[in-house]
C-alpha cells in the first residue's frame, strides 16, 4: 500500500507565504512524478505544480512565479512553497504521485486526501 499525506494547509493572509508538504510512504520503488492539484470553487480541478524524478518542474499558469515545488527528498517528501498568495488561491490542495510499487512492480497514480488552503484577510 502507498499513502500520500498532506500537511501545512490553513488560513493565510493575502500577500503572505505558506508551505505545504506531501509525504509518500509504503511500498515505493520509484516516484516518477509528484506534486499538487487544487480544486478552487467555481473552477475545474487544475494543475498547481509537478516535479519529475530528474528534477524537472511544471507549474500551472496561475501560480507561475509565485509557487515553487521541491524535488522529492530522501524521506519521500515534497514541499510546495507558496509566496504572494491571493484570495483566488483558496481551495483544496491534493497531493498527486505517479509511483511504481516495490511490492507489485506496477506503476500507478495515487492521491492524498487534500488539505484546505484559505487566503483571506
Amino acid at each position: 500500500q502507498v499513502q500520500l499525506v498532506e500537511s501545512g494547509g490553513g488560513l493565510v493572509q493575502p500577500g503572505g507565504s505558506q508551505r505545504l508538504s506531501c509525504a509518500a510512504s509504503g511500498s515505493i520503488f520509484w516516484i516518477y512524478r509528484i506534486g499538487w492539484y487544487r480544486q478552487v470553487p467555481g473552477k475545474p480541478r487544475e494543475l498547481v505544480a509537478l516535479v519529475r524524478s530528474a528534477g524537472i518542474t511544471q507549474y500551472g499558469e496561475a501560480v507561475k512565479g509565485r509557487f515553487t515545488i521541491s524535488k522529492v527528498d530522501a524521506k519521500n517528501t515534497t514541499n510546495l512553497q507558496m509566496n504572494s498568495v491571493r484570495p483566488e488561491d483558496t481551495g483544496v490542495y491534493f497531493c498527486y504521485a505517479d509511483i511504481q510499487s516495490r511490492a507489485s512492480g506496477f506503476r500507478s497514480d495515487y492521491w492524498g486526501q487534500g488539505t484546505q488552503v484559505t487566503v483571506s484577510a
Side-chain angles (χ1 to χ4, degrees):
Q1 184 180 6
V2 173
Q3 301 88 31
L4 302 178
V5 179
E6 304 102 331
S7 62
L11 180 64
V12 194
Q13 294 183 339
S17 298
Q18 189 83 349
R19 185 167 69 182
L20 305 183
S21 294
C22 175
S25 62
S27 182
I28 298 171
F29 177 76
W30 190 258
I31 301 176
Y32 289 90
R33 297 177 294 161
I34 190 167
W36 300 86
Y37 288 76
R38 69 185 183 187
Q39 187 74 58
V40 176
K43 297 177 65 177
R45 184 174 299 182
E46 65 179 350
L47 170 71
V48 178
L50 288 174
V51 60
R52 290 167 166 79
S53 58
I56 299 172
T57 57
Q58 180 182 359
Y59 294 95
E61 185 175 354
V63 307
K64 286 181 179 178
R66 299 188 296 119
F67 294 6
T68 304
I69 189 168
S70 69
K71 186 177 179 179
V72 65
D73 63 19
K75 300 179 181 178
N76 287 331
T77 298
T78 186
N79 298 313
L80 180 70
Q81 180 65 46
M82 304 186 296
N83 296 326
S84 302
V85 298
R86 305 165 180 169
E88 54 263 41
D89 293 322
T90 295
V92 180
Y93 286 68
F94 296 91
C95 184
Y96 160 84
D98 173 9
I99 295 174
Q100 183 174 353
S101 170
R102 183 174 61 194
S104 71
F106 292 111
R107 179 176 172 179
S108 301
D109 294 335
Y110 296 89
W111 292 89
Q113 293 298 308
T115 185
Q116 175 72 39
V117 174
T118 302
V119 182
S120 177

